[in-house]
Amino acid sequence: MLIVIDPTARRTDGESVRIAKDVLCAGASVVKVCVLDQPQAMKRVLARRGSHRVVIVGDDRTLLAALALLLRDGDGAGPGVGGGPLAMVPVGPVPLLAVARTLGVPTDPVAASRAVLRGGERRVDLLLDDAGGVVPGPLGIPSRRPRLWQRGTRPGRHRLRVEADGRVLADLDRPVAGVSVRPADGLAEVVVRPCGNQAADVRVRVRSVTVSGAAFSYRAGAVDLGPTEARTWTVRPKALRLTVPAPAAEGALSG
């Protein structure tokens, strides 16, 4: 077992990190612990993981970074396949554990650590983007937290072009209130919310979706990503092998 500890988790909640490490070390026969000390450290650690099972200790940002690196390795069987499914012990502020909760991972360090040791495997659909990013759940466009570069944007009106499997769902001449995308049973469920209350939401299920227009950010859980002027997301069905508590381990989670 390879326990990868994000330094932010240790600074913000050192007690939870200590508890997780104690439970995991007591329950596994061979354990290696790595505390990340710089942004590039995770890349080096995961590249040398060998047959070790990877356990991430940190928040949603740590999980998203690890997933991007693991999938970049080109492992077609899913992250963590060398030593079993990927596992996570969520540690951090409650808003930054939203993705972990969506995936069915306990946010209590003891419960999460026990799930690592005695849980089952769940296959999870992922959204992969054309910049190498990974989202294992729903994302919202634009981010709910406007940034400095968004101050000139009229609230609730965003000029975005949305193309789903080549079909145009919205264009720049028709401002939208927002767009959401989530993996759903091997496809991406796209919802375009028009401005005002007159028109109904547009909902489709497709293999890929491209959003473009003025610079926009997007959000996975409480993690803001971007800005970008264009992004394409493609569904990779059941790409993630994730450890969750045994009663919830059947089937694949699609968001």
Side-chain angles (χ1 to χ4, degrees):
M1 179 182 293
L2 172 62
I3 303 174
V4 181
I5 300 175
D6 183 81
T8 303
R10 195 168 64 164
R11 289 194 300 269
T12 57
D13 192 350
E15 180 63 12
S16 290
V17 172
R18 183 193 64 78
I19 291 171
K21 187 169 64 172
D22 288 350
V23 174
L24 293 171
C25 289
S29 57
V30 178
V31 179
K32 181 178 180 181
V33 180
C34 292
V35 180
L36 305 178
D37 56 359
Q38 53 183 321
Q40 294 299 316
M42 182 183 288
K43 182 177 181 179
R44 294 196 303 270
V45 168
L46 294 181
R48 300 171 182 171
R49 69 188 184 280
S51 61
H52 286 86
R53 182 184 179 196
V54 178
V55 181
I56 301 296
V57 179
D59 59 25
D60 291 346
R61 296 169 298 187
T62 315
L63 175 63
L64 296 182
L67 284 177
L69 289 169
L70 289 168
L71 285 169
R72 206 170 296 165
D73 286 347
D75 190 343
V81 68
L86 181 69
M88 180 185 186
V89 178
V91 177
V94 172
L96 286 173
L97 305 181
V99 173
R101 287 197 303 273
T102 299
L103 293 173
V105 179
T107 54
D108 173 77
V110 174
S113 299
R114 288 175 176 168
V116 172
L117 299 171
R118 300 195 292 268
E121 178 182 321
R122 167 176 278 174
R123 288 279 188 164
V124 180
D125 295 347
L126 296 177
L127 291 172
L128 278 61
D129 68 44
D130 52 356
V134 182
V135 178
L139 61 87
I141 311 167
S143 167
R144 289 172 293 176
R145 294 182 181 178
R147 300 182 182 182
L148 294 176
W149 50 266
Q150 292 177 307
R151 285 182 176 176
T153 302
R154 184 175 176 181
R157 295 177 64 85
H158 306 279
R159 295 189 180 276
L160 299 172
R161 179 180 174 88
V162 183
E163 298 178 68
D165 281 357
R167 173 189 171 191
V168 178
L169 305 182
D171 214 335
L172 302 178
D173 60 345
R174 293 174 287 164
V176 299
V179 181
S180 65
V181 184
R182 73 178 184 95
D185 299 326
L187 295 173
E189 182 179 82
V190 183
V191 180
V192 179
R193 299 182 300 279
C195 295
N197 299 320
Q198 301 303 316
D201 293 351
V202 177
R203 296 175 179 269
V204 297
R205 287 195 175 194
V206 293
R207 296 187 180 280
S208 68
V209 56
T210 298
V211 179
S212 58
F216 63 91
S217 65
Y218 51 100
R219 170 169 286 208
V223 179
D224 290 330
L225 302 167
T228 181
E229 293 183 353
R231 184 70 78 236
T232 296
W233 289 274
T234 302
V235 177
R236 186 166 169 184
K238 301 183 179 180
L240 170 62
R241 298 172 57 201
L242 182 73
T243 298
V244 294
E250 296 181 359
L253 180 69
S254 58

